[in-house]
Amino acid sequence: MTKSSAGKTMLNPFGVTMVEDYEHLYEEFGIQPFKPLLTQISNPSAAMRRGVIFGHRDFKRVLDAMKNREEFAVMSGIKPTGEFHLGTLMTAREVIYFQQQGGTAFYCIADIEAYEDNRISFERSQKYAVGNVADLLALGFDPKKGYIYQQSKEQRVKDLAIAFARGVTLATMKAIYGERHMGLYISALIQAGDILLPQLEDFGGPKPTVVPVGVDQDPHLRLTRDLAFKFRRRYNFIPPSSTYHKLIKALDGSPKMSKRDPMSYFTLEEKPGVISKKISNAFTGGKPTAEEQRRLGADPDVCPLYDLYLFHFFERDEDVAKLYTNECKGGKILCGEDKERLTKIVLDFLKEHQRKRRQYIDKAREILEVE
Ligand code: SF4
Protein backbone atom coordinates (compact mmCIF):
# COMPACT_ATOMS: atom_id res chain seq x y z
CA MET A 1 0.00 0.00 0.00
CA THR A 2 1.52 3.32 -1.06
CA LYS A 3 0.14 6.59 0.26
CA SER A 4 0.74 10.10 -1.00
CA SER A 5 2.06 12.66 1.47
CA ALA A 6 -1.37 14.30 1.75
CA GLY A 7 -2.98 10.85 2.14
CA LYS A 8 -5.46 11.49 -0.68
CA THR A 9 -3.94 8.94 -3.03
CA MET A 10 -3.47 5.35 -1.98
CA LEU A 11 -2.32 2.47 -4.21
CA ASN A 12 -3.29 -0.78 -2.59
CA PRO A 13 -3.38 -4.05 -4.57
CA PHE A 14 -5.07 -5.82 -1.65
CA GLY A 15 -7.76 -3.29 -0.81
CA VAL A 16 -9.09 0.18 -1.48
CA THR A 17 -7.24 2.30 -4.02
CA MET A 18 -7.90 6.02 -4.27
CA VAL A 19 -6.39 8.28 -6.89
CA GLU A 20 -7.28 11.92 -6.44
CA ASP A 21 -5.25 13.14 -9.40
CA TYR A 22 -3.30 10.93 -11.81
CA GLU A 23 -0.81 13.76 -12.41
CA HIS A 24 0.30 13.54 -8.76
CA LEU A 25 1.45 9.99 -9.32
CA TYR A 26 4.27 11.30 -11.50
CA GLU A 27 5.82 13.43 -8.78
CA GLU A 28 4.96 11.45 -5.69
CA PHE A 29 5.31 7.86 -6.85
CA GLY A 30 7.94 8.12 -9.57
CA ILE A 31 5.60 6.85 -12.31
CA GLN A 32 6.57 8.31 -15.71
CA PRO A 33 3.97 9.97 -17.97
CA PHE A 34 3.09 7.82 -20.99
CA LYS A 35 2.06 10.60 -23.37
CA PRO A 36 5.59 11.69 -24.43
CA LEU A 37 6.22 8.15 -25.76
CA LEU A 38 3.09 8.07 -27.88
CA THR A 39 4.64 9.51 -31.04
CA GLN A 40 7.29 6.77 -31.00
CA ILE A 41 4.73 3.95 -31.07
CA SER A 42 3.83 3.07 -34.62
CA ASN A 43 0.53 1.39 -33.81
CA PRO A 44 -0.69 2.61 -30.40
CA SER A 45 -3.73 0.93 -28.85
CA ALA A 46 -6.97 2.84 -28.26
CA ALA A 47 -6.19 2.94 -24.51
CA MET A 48 -2.80 4.53 -25.28
CA ARG A 49 -4.22 7.08 -27.72
CA ARG A 50 -7.03 8.09 -25.38
CA GLY A 51 -4.85 8.57 -22.29
CA VAL A 52 -6.45 5.63 -20.46
CA ILE A 53 -2.89 4.31 -20.23
CA PHE A 54 -1.38 7.33 -18.55
CA GLY A 55 1.86 6.14 -16.95
CA HIS A 56 4.69 3.65 -17.04
CA ARG A 57 7.92 2.51 -15.46
CA ASP A 58 10.81 1.93 -17.84
CA PHE A 59 8.58 1.26 -20.85
CA LYS A 60 11.19 2.71 -23.22
CA ARG A 61 13.14 -0.55 -22.95
CA VAL A 62 10.16 -2.51 -24.31
CA LEU A 63 9.40 0.14 -26.89
CA ASP A 64 12.95 -0.12 -28.23
CA ALA A 65 12.56 -3.91 -28.49
CA MET A 66 9.26 -3.42 -30.35
CA LYS A 67 10.85 -0.91 -32.74
CA ASN A 68 13.90 -3.07 -33.41
CA ARG A 69 11.84 -6.24 -33.70
CA GLU A 70 13.76 -7.79 -30.81
CA GLU A 71 12.45 -10.33 -28.38
CA PHE A 72 10.23 -9.07 -25.55
CA ALA A 73 7.51 -10.45 -23.32
CA VAL A 74 4.21 -9.22 -21.95
CA MET A 75 3.01 -10.57 -18.63
CA SER A 76 -0.22 -10.05 -16.72
CA GLY A 77 -3.08 -12.08 -15.39
CA ILE A 78 -6.32 -12.40 -13.49
CA LYS A 79 -7.33 -13.30 -9.96
CA PRO A 80 -9.95 -16.02 -10.57
CA THR A 81 -12.59 -14.83 -8.12
CA GLY A 82 -15.47 -14.59 -10.60
CA GLU A 83 -16.38 -13.87 -14.19
CA PHE A 84 -14.47 -11.38 -16.37
CA HIS A 85 -15.53 -7.83 -15.57
CA LEU A 86 -14.62 -4.53 -17.18
CA GLY A 87 -11.35 -4.14 -15.28
CA THR A 88 -10.04 -7.59 -16.22
CA LEU A 89 -11.24 -6.97 -19.79
CA MET A 90 -8.93 -3.95 -19.91
CA THR A 91 -5.85 -5.92 -18.86
CA ALA A 92 -6.68 -8.81 -21.21
CA ARG A 93 -6.94 -6.41 -24.15
CA GLU A 94 -3.56 -4.90 -23.27
CA VAL A 95 -1.89 -8.33 -23.12
CA ILE A 96 -3.40 -9.22 -26.49
CA TYR A 97 -2.26 -5.89 -27.96
CA PHE A 98 1.38 -6.53 -26.96
CA GLN A 99 1.14 -10.11 -28.20
CA GLN A 100 -0.02 -8.79 -31.57
CA GLN A 101 2.96 -6.38 -31.59
CA GLY A 102 5.31 -9.39 -31.41
CA GLY A 103 5.64 -10.05 -27.67
CA THR A 104 5.54 -13.51 -26.14
CA ALA A 105 2.52 -13.37 -23.85
CA PHE A 106 2.32 -14.81 -20.34
CA TYR A 107 -1.07 -14.88 -18.65
CA CYS A 108 -1.27 -16.00 -15.07
CA ILE A 109 -4.31 -17.36 -13.27
CA ALA A 110 -3.50 -15.98 -9.82
CA ASP A 111 -5.23 -18.69 -7.80
CA ILE A 112 -2.80 -18.44 -4.88
CA GLU A 113 -3.66 -14.78 -4.52
CA ALA A 114 -7.40 -15.59 -4.86
CA TYR A 115 -6.99 -17.97 -1.94
CA GLU A 116 -4.87 -15.67 0.22
CA ASP A 117 -6.76 -12.45 -0.51
CA ASN A 118 -10.32 -13.66 -1.10
CA ARG A 119 -10.44 -17.09 0.57
CA ILE A 120 -11.48 -18.74 -2.71
CA SER A 121 -10.62 -22.43 -2.61
CA PHE A 122 -8.45 -23.81 -5.42
CA GLU A 123 -11.32 -26.01 -6.50
CA ARG A 124 -13.64 -23.03 -6.90
CA SER A 125 -11.10 -20.78 -8.55
CA GLN A 126 -10.39 -23.51 -11.09
CA LYS A 127 -14.02 -23.33 -12.25
CA TYR A 128 -13.76 -19.57 -12.66
CA ALA A 129 -10.38 -19.97 -14.38
CA VAL A 130 -11.89 -22.08 -17.19
CA GLY A 131 -14.36 -19.29 -17.98
CA ASN A 132 -11.67 -16.61 -17.62
CA VAL A 133 -9.38 -18.38 -20.09
CA ALA A 134 -12.27 -18.89 -22.53
CA ASP A 135 -12.89 -15.11 -22.30
CA LEU A 136 -9.23 -14.41 -23.00
CA LEU A 137 -9.24 -16.67 -26.07
CA ALA A 138 -12.51 -15.19 -27.32
CA LEU A 139 -10.94 -11.72 -27.11
CA GLY A 140 -8.11 -12.82 -29.41
CA PHE A 141 -5.28 -14.24 -27.25
CA ASP A 142 -3.22 -16.63 -29.37
CA PRO A 143 -2.21 -19.62 -27.20
CA LYS A 144 0.46 -20.62 -29.75
CA LYS A 145 2.35 -17.40 -29.00
CA GLY A 146 1.77 -17.43 -25.28
CA TYR A 147 1.72 -19.32 -22.02
CA ILE A 148 -1.35 -19.48 -19.78
CA TYR A 149 -0.83 -21.09 -16.39
CA GLN A 150 -2.15 -21.38 -12.86
CA GLN A 151 0.17 -20.14 -10.10
CA SER A 152 -0.54 -23.13 -7.88
CA LYS A 153 0.61 -25.53 -10.62
CA GLU A 154 3.67 -23.60 -11.84
CA GLN A 155 6.59 -24.86 -9.77
CA ARG A 156 9.06 -22.39 -11.32
CA VAL A 157 7.04 -19.44 -10.00
CA LYS A 158 6.98 -20.96 -6.52
CA ASP A 159 10.73 -21.65 -6.67
CA LEU A 160 11.37 -18.01 -7.55
CA ALA A 161 9.18 -16.86 -4.65
CA ILE A 162 11.17 -19.06 -2.26
CA ALA A 163 14.43 -17.64 -3.58
CA PHE A 164 13.12 -14.06 -3.35
CA ALA A 165 12.01 -14.54 0.26
CA ARG A 166 15.69 -14.30 1.27
CA GLY A 167 15.90 -10.86 -0.33
CA VAL A 168 13.19 -9.09 1.68
CA THR A 169 12.54 -8.39 5.33
CA LEU A 170 9.21 -8.13 7.10
CA ALA A 171 9.86 -4.40 7.49
CA THR A 172 10.10 -4.02 3.69
CA MET A 173 6.86 -5.91 3.13
CA LYS A 174 5.10 -3.80 5.76
CA ALA A 175 6.44 -0.61 4.19
CA ILE A 176 5.07 -1.63 0.77
CA TYR A 177 1.82 -3.38 1.68
CA GLY A 178 1.02 -2.29 5.24
CA GLU A 179 0.39 -4.72 8.09
CA ARG A 180 -1.00 -7.91 6.46
CA HIS A 181 -1.27 -11.61 7.21
CA MET A 182 1.65 -13.69 5.97
CA GLY A 183 -0.40 -15.19 3.14
CA LEU A 184 -0.57 -11.85 1.36
CA TYR A 185 3.16 -11.30 1.71
CA ILE A 186 3.72 -14.78 0.27
CA SER A 187 1.33 -14.09 -2.57
CA ALA A 188 3.22 -10.84 -3.33
CA LEU A 189 6.45 -12.86 -3.64
CA ILE A 190 4.62 -15.33 -5.88
CA GLN A 191 3.55 -12.42 -8.07
CA ALA A 192 7.17 -11.30 -8.29
CA GLY A 193 7.87 -14.85 -9.51
CA ASP A 194 5.11 -14.51 -12.13
CA ILE A 195 6.51 -11.23 -13.41
CA LEU A 196 10.04 -12.60 -13.76
CA LEU A 197 9.06 -16.06 -15.06
CA PRO A 198 9.39 -14.98 -18.75
CA GLN A 199 13.08 -14.29 -18.14
CA LEU A 200 14.03 -17.78 -16.98
CA GLU A 201 16.23 -19.89 -19.28
CA ASP A 202 13.26 -22.22 -19.92
CA PHE A 203 11.61 -19.30 -21.76
CA GLY A 204 14.69 -18.04 -23.57
CA GLY A 205 16.39 -16.11 -20.77
CA PRO A 206 16.45 -12.42 -19.83
CA LYS A 207 14.36 -10.12 -22.01
CA PRO A 208 12.48 -6.82 -21.70
CA THR A 209 9.10 -7.58 -20.17
CA VAL A 210 6.11 -5.26 -19.91
CA VAL A 211 3.44 -5.73 -17.28
CA PRO A 212 0.25 -3.85 -18.26
CA VAL A 213 -1.86 -3.32 -15.15
CA GLY A 214 -4.19 -0.98 -13.30
CA VAL A 215 -2.26 1.57 -11.29
CA ASP A 216 -3.37 -0.08 -8.02
CA GLN A 217 -0.89 -2.87 -8.85
CA ASP A 218 2.15 -0.58 -8.80
CA PRO A 219 3.36 -1.76 -5.35
CA HIS A 220 3.90 -5.26 -6.87
CA LEU A 221 6.00 -3.72 -9.64
CA ARG A 222 8.12 -1.75 -7.20
CA LEU A 223 8.80 -4.88 -5.15
CA THR A 224 9.59 -6.96 -8.24
CA ARG A 225 11.90 -4.38 -9.78
CA ASP A 226 13.77 -4.26 -6.50
CA LEU A 227 14.02 -8.07 -6.40
CA ALA A 228 15.16 -8.20 -10.05
CA PHE A 229 18.01 -5.88 -9.08
CA LYS A 230 18.91 -7.81 -5.91
CA PHE A 231 18.96 -11.15 -7.74
CA ARG A 232 20.58 -9.86 -10.94
CA ARG A 233 23.81 -11.84 -10.42
CA ARG A 234 22.01 -15.12 -9.96
CA TYR A 235 19.43 -14.75 -12.75
CA ASN A 236 20.67 -11.85 -14.89
CA PHE A 237 17.17 -10.33 -14.80
CA ILE A 238 16.29 -7.16 -16.69
CA PRO A 239 14.06 -5.01 -14.41
CA PRO A 240 10.47 -5.44 -15.62
CA SER A 241 8.69 -2.49 -17.23
CA SER A 242 5.06 -1.58 -16.67
CA THR A 243 2.24 0.42 -18.17
CA TYR A 244 -0.56 1.75 -15.98
CA HIS A 245 -4.15 2.30 -16.95
CA LYS A 246 -6.58 4.46 -15.06
CA LEU A 247 -9.20 2.72 -12.98
CA ILE A 248 -12.64 2.59 -14.58
CA LYS A 249 -15.28 4.22 -12.39
CA ALA A 250 -17.96 2.12 -10.74
CA LEU A 251 -21.50 2.43 -12.06
CA ASP A 252 -22.47 4.32 -8.90
CA GLY A 253 -19.84 6.95 -9.72
CA SER A 254 -17.33 5.87 -7.06
CA PRO A 255 -13.68 5.76 -8.14
CA LYS A 256 -13.27 1.99 -8.65
CA MET A 257 -15.53 -0.95 -9.37
CA SER A 258 -15.77 -3.36 -6.46
CA LYS A 259 -16.71 -7.02 -6.62
CA ARG A 260 -18.25 -6.55 -3.18
CA ASP A 261 -21.03 -4.46 -4.77
CA PRO A 262 -22.52 -6.27 -7.79
CA MET A 263 -24.49 -3.16 -8.85
CA SER A 264 -21.23 -1.23 -9.28
CA TYR A 265 -20.07 -3.22 -12.32
CA PHE A 266 -21.16 -5.90 -14.76
CA THR A 267 -19.47 -9.03 -16.01
CA LEU A 268 -19.16 -10.36 -19.53
CA GLU A 269 -21.49 -13.23 -18.63
CA GLU A 270 -24.44 -11.24 -17.40
CA LYS A 271 -27.95 -11.54 -18.86
CA PRO A 272 -29.22 -8.71 -21.11
CA GLY A 273 -31.97 -7.75 -18.63
CA VAL A 274 -29.43 -7.35 -15.82
CA ILE A 275 -27.10 -5.25 -17.99
CA SER A 276 -29.97 -2.98 -19.04
CA LYS A 277 -31.02 -2.52 -15.43
CA LYS A 278 -27.50 -1.75 -14.24
CA ILE A 279 -26.90 0.83 -16.97
CA SER A 280 -30.33 2.33 -16.45
CA ASN A 281 -29.69 2.74 -12.69
CA ALA A 282 -26.13 4.05 -13.12
CA PHE A 283 -25.00 7.41 -11.80
CA THR A 284 -24.31 10.02 -14.49
CA GLY A 285 -22.88 13.51 -14.72
CA GLY A 286 -26.25 14.80 -15.92
CA LYS A 287 -28.22 17.82 -14.75
CA PRO A 288 -31.43 17.53 -12.68
CA THR A 289 -33.70 18.58 -15.57
CA ALA A 290 -33.64 18.11 -19.35
CA GLU A 291 -33.94 21.87 -19.84
CA GLU A 292 -30.83 22.53 -17.68
CA GLN A 293 -28.86 19.81 -19.41
CA ARG A 294 -29.67 21.20 -22.85
CA ARG A 295 -28.73 24.69 -21.69
CA LEU A 296 -25.65 23.96 -19.54
CA GLY A 297 -24.45 20.56 -20.72
CA ALA A 298 -23.44 17.62 -18.48
CA ASP A 299 -20.16 16.52 -16.90
CA PRO A 300 -18.47 13.51 -18.57
CA ASP A 301 -15.51 13.68 -16.16
CA VAL A 302 -17.58 12.32 -13.27
CA CYS A 303 -19.71 9.99 -15.40
CA PRO A 304 -19.07 6.22 -15.31
CA LEU A 305 -20.94 5.77 -18.59
CA TYR A 306 -18.49 8.08 -20.31
CA ASP A 307 -15.73 5.83 -18.92
CA LEU A 308 -17.45 2.81 -20.46
CA TYR A 309 -17.37 4.42 -23.89
CA LEU A 310 -13.81 5.68 -23.41
CA PHE A 311 -12.33 2.42 -22.08
CA HIS A 312 -14.26 -0.14 -24.07
CA PHE A 313 -17.31 0.56 -26.14
CA PHE A 314 -16.54 3.25 -28.71
CA GLU A 315 -14.21 1.86 -31.35
CA ARG A 316 -13.47 5.22 -32.99
CA ASP A 317 -11.62 8.02 -31.22
CA GLU A 318 -13.79 10.56 -33.09
CA ASP A 319 -16.89 9.17 -31.37
CA VAL A 320 -15.28 9.58 -27.94
CA ALA A 321 -14.28 13.18 -28.71
CA LYS A 322 -17.75 13.97 -30.07
CA LEU A 323 -19.47 12.56 -26.99
CA TYR A 324 -17.18 14.44 -24.59
CA THR A 325 -17.27 17.86 -26.18
CA ASN A 326 -20.33 18.11 -28.32
CA GLU A 327 -22.95 15.70 -27.09
CA CYS A 328 -22.28 15.65 -23.35
CA LYS A 329 -20.67 18.99 -22.47
CA GLY A 330 -22.56 20.69 -25.27
CA GLY A 331 -25.92 19.43 -23.97
CA LYS A 332 -26.82 17.76 -27.29
CA ILE A 333 -27.79 14.45 -25.69
CA LEU A 334 -29.72 13.64 -22.53
CA CYS A 335 -28.46 10.96 -20.17
CA GLY A 336 -31.54 8.78 -20.74
CA GLU A 337 -30.89 8.75 -24.49
CA ASP A 338 -27.21 8.05 -23.91
CA LYS A 339 -28.02 5.15 -21.58
CA GLU A 340 -30.20 3.61 -24.29
CA ARG A 341 -27.44 3.93 -26.89
CA LEU A 342 -24.81 2.47 -24.58
CA THR A 343 -27.06 -0.44 -23.56
CA LYS A 344 -27.48 -1.40 -27.21
CA ILE A 345 -23.73 -1.24 -27.90
CA VAL A 346 -22.90 -3.29 -24.78
CA LEU A 347 -25.55 -5.93 -25.51
CA ASP A 348 -24.38 -6.32 -29.12
CA PHE A 349 -20.79 -6.73 -27.95
CA LEU A 350 -21.70 -9.25 -25.26
CA LYS A 351 -23.90 -11.33 -27.55
CA GLU A 352 -21.01 -11.80 -29.95
CA HIS A 353 -18.44 -12.27 -27.18
CA GLN A 354 -20.53 -14.89 -25.38
CA ARG A 355 -21.02 -16.79 -28.63
CA LYS A 356 -17.25 -16.95 -29.19
CA ARG A 357 -16.57 -17.73 -25.54
CA ARG A 358 -18.77 -20.84 -25.65
CA GLN A 359 -16.63 -22.16 -28.50
CA TYR A 360 -13.47 -21.81 -26.41
CA ILE A 361 -14.56 -23.56 -23.22
CA ASP A 362 -13.09 -26.94 -24.27
CA LYS A 363 -9.84 -25.31 -25.34
CA ALA A 364 -9.67 -23.52 -21.97
CA ARG A 365 -10.14 -26.84 -20.16
CA GLU A 366 -7.37 -28.36 -22.23
CA ILE A 367 -4.97 -25.47 -21.49
CA LEU A 368 -5.69 -25.66 -17.75
CA GLU A 369 -5.68 -29.47 -17.79
CA VAL A 370 -9.13 -29.62 -16.20
CA GLU A 371 -11.22 -32.78 -16.66
S1 SF4 B 1 -24.68 12.59 -21.52
FE1 SF4 B 1 -23.79 10.54 -21.38
S2 SF4 B 1 -21.66 10.85 -20.87
FE2 SF4 B 1 -22.73 12.78 -20.44
S3 SF4 B 1 -23.23 12.68 -18.28
FE3 SF4 B 1 -25.00 11.91 -19.41
S4 SF4 B 1 -24.69 9.67 -19.52
FE4 SF4 B 1 -22.75 10.62 -18.94
Side-chain angles (χ1 to χ4, degrees):
M1 177 173 58
T2 320
K3 266 188 180 175
S4 66
S5 50
K8 289 185 176 169
T9 295
M10 193 163 63
L11 304 182
N12 182 358
F14 298 130
V16 178
T17 282
M18 293 185 305
V19 180
E20 197 196 22
D21 179 355
Y22 283 95
E23 303 273 319
H24 280 165
L25 296 173
Y26 304 142
E27 291 152 33
E28 292 218 34
F29 294 79
I31 290 173
Q32 300 292 308
F34 195 81
K35 203 172 173 188
L37 297 180
L38 208 50
T39 53
Q40 299 177 46
I41 305 172
S42 59
N43 180 24
S45 67
M48 291 173 176
R49 295 192 308 268
R50 296 175 190 179
V52 172
I53 293 176
F54 71 96
H56 72 98
R57 287 191 192 272
D58 227 353
F59 181 67
K60 185 80 173 46
R61 197 193 300 276
V62 174
L63 181 55
D64 287 343
M66 283 164 67
K67 279 200 263 190
N68 300 329
R69 299 188 177 277
E70 288 164 3
E71 190 187 15
F72 72 98
V74 53
M75 194 288 137
S76 200
I78 186 172
K79 196 162 59 161
T81 55
E83 303 293 350
F84 248 54
H85 56 75
L86 298 163
T88 41
L89 174 62
M90 185 73 210
T91 309
R93 283 182 158 158
E94 288 169 344
V95 170
I96 293 164
Y97 164 80
F98 283 113
Q99 185 182 47
Q100 290 170 346
Q101 305 311 306
T104 306
F106 290 71
Y107 195 79
C108 155
I109 303 295
D111 56 352
I112 293 180
E113 191 184 348
Y115 171 73
E116 299 293 358
D117 193 17
N118 305 80
R119 298 188 192 187
I120 306 260
S121 69
F122 291 104
E123 201 182 24
R124 215 168 119 214
S125 64
Q126 182 149 285
K127 284 192 187 126
Y128 290 134
V130 171
N132 296 161
V133 170
D135 279 311
L136 184 72
L137 298 174
L139 290 165
F141 186 97
D142 181 353
K144 290 190 219 78
K145 295 180 187 160
Y147 178 46
I148 300 171
Y149 66 93
Q150 281 167 274
Q151 282 176 329
S152 61
K153 292 183 183 169
E154 180 43 84
Q155 189 58 42
R156 290 166 289 201
V157 163
K158 291 187 272 190
D159 288 346
L160 282 173
I162 291 165
F164 294 160
R166 285 190 63 87
V168 283
T169 63
L170 199 52
T172 306
M173 296 307 267
K174 276 188 192 169
I176 298 176
Y177 297 104
E179 179 90 36
R180 301 288 182 176
H181 64 76
M182 284 306 295
L184 288 181
Y185 295 151
I186 290 170
S187 96
L189 291 174
I190 297 266
Q191 288 224 15
D194 291 320
I195 293 171
L196 293 168
L197 180 72
Q199 300 199 44
L200 292 185
E201 290 305 326
D202 286 359
F203 297 101
K207 62 179 74 60
T209 303
V210 58
V211 186
V213 280
V215 68
D216 53 330
Q217 301 297 308
D218 183 53
H220 290 320
L221 264 301
R222 286 178 41 229
L223 172 70
T224 308
R225 285 168 59 81
D226 191 36
L227 287 168
F229 180 75
K230 279 191 180 137
F231 287 83
R232 65 194 180 286
R233 285 216 180 89
R234 180 160 164 197
Y235 295 99
N236 215 8
F237 287 137
I238 296 170
S241 309
S242 49
T243 59
Y244 298 113
H245 57 250
K246 293 180 180 172
L247 303 172
I248 190 165
K249 287 185 202 62
L251 295 175
D252 63 4
S254 53
K256 190 190 171 196
M257 293 182 173
S258 161
K259 283 191 178 174
R260 288 173 189 90
D261 176 9
M263 286 308 280
S264 77
Y265 69 98
F266 54 81
T267 74
L268 302 195
E269 270 302 279
E270 251 156 335
K271 301 262 182 306
V274 178
I275 301 273
S276 304
K277 193 168 167 206
K278 287 187 177 181
I279 293 179
S280 158
N281 291 340
F283 173 82
T284 71
K287 292 284 187 295
T289 68
E291 184 278 321
E292 267 185 86
Q293 184 145 337
R294 287 204 178 92
R295 186 161 47 87
L296 301 170
D299 185 357
D301 293 316
V302 300
C303 180
L305 303 191
Y306 174 71
D307 270 14
L308 288 178
Y309 284 117
L310 175 76
F311 280 63
H312 292 300
F313 293 108
F314 264 156
E315 283 183 14
R316 297 174 346 143
D317 295 350
E318 306 90 272
D319 290 336
V320 177
K322 186 173 155 207
L323 169 61
Y324 187 88
T325 312
N326 189 290
E327 294 179 332
C328 183
K329 281 191 155 184
K332 296 280 187 300
I333 192 169
L334 297 178
C335 294
E337 296 162 349
D338 206 9
K339 284 179 170 179
E340 269 179 40
R341 172 175 65 177
L342 179 63
T343 302
K344 183 171 180 329
I345 294 173
V346 172
L347 292 184
D348 285 351
F349 166 77
L350 289 186
K351 191 173 168 198
E352 180 57 12
H353 176 76
Q354 288 170 7
R355 184 189 67 74
K356 286 192 209 155
R357 182 190 192 267
R358 280 192 292 276
Q359 294 175 346
Y360 281 112
I361 288 287
D362 286 345
K363 182 73 185 167
R365 288 179 172 280
E366 185 193 316
I367 288 171
L368 296 172
E369 296 176 352
V370 176
E371 293 295 306

